Amino acid sequence: EEVTTAFQAASHIVAQARLEVLDGVEGIKLRQVEGSARDWLHDPAAASMLREEPRRFVAALVHATFQDAHGYVEGLSTIEVDAFIASFGDSAESSC
């Protein structure tokens, strides 16, 4: 249950950010859909964060999704991803 809720919240934020912000930018986009999230999830700290701080887990997962080996993708920054979380995360995280 806790896993489902956290992943649904993160996926809602990422989907909304892509639909409402990122997909409106002209040009071709080549995306690794999950970004660095898969690698981040293999970190043992992620599991303990999920149990102890689910909101922080959701935020970290969203950040990892918008990153690759070189940092943030599509010209994003920490501040912009935090803004996505603030804008789109209220309803998504209310169940965390």
Side-chain angles (χ1 to χ4, degrees), residues 6 11-12 15 17 25 40 45 52-53 56 58 60 64 68 72 76-77 81 92 94-96:
S11 66
H12 171 79
V25 177
W40 179 80
E52 297 166 11
E53 300 177 84
R56 187 169 161 230
V58 168
D68 64 14
Y72 286 95
L76 294 173
S77 68
V81 176
S94 63
S95 55
C96 282

Side-chain angles (χ1 to χ4, degrees), residues 13 59-60 62-63 72 77-89:
I13 295 165
V62 171
H63 277 273
Y72 286 95
S77 68
T78 302
I79 293 169
E80 290 168 309
V81 176
D82 283 340
F84 294 156
I85 294 166
S87 295
F88 306 126

Side-chain angles (χ1 to χ4, degrees), residues 39-54:
D39 297 330
W40 179 80
L41 287 169
H42 286 351
D43 184 333
S48 63
M49 189 186 303
L50 174 61
R51 287 188 300 276
E52 297 166 11
E53 300 177 84

Side-chain angles (χ1 to χ4, degrees), residues 1-17 54-55 57-59 61-62 84-85 88-96:
E1 176 69 25
E2 67 186 29
V3 172
T4 301
T5 301
F7 277 90
Q8 286 177 338
S11 66
H12 171 79
I13 295 165
V14 170
Q16 288 298 114
R55 287 179 183 263
F57 175 88
V58 168
L61 181 55
V62 171
F84 294 156
I85 294 166
F88 306 126
D90 289 338
S91 61
E93 291 182 338
S94 63
S95 55
C96 282

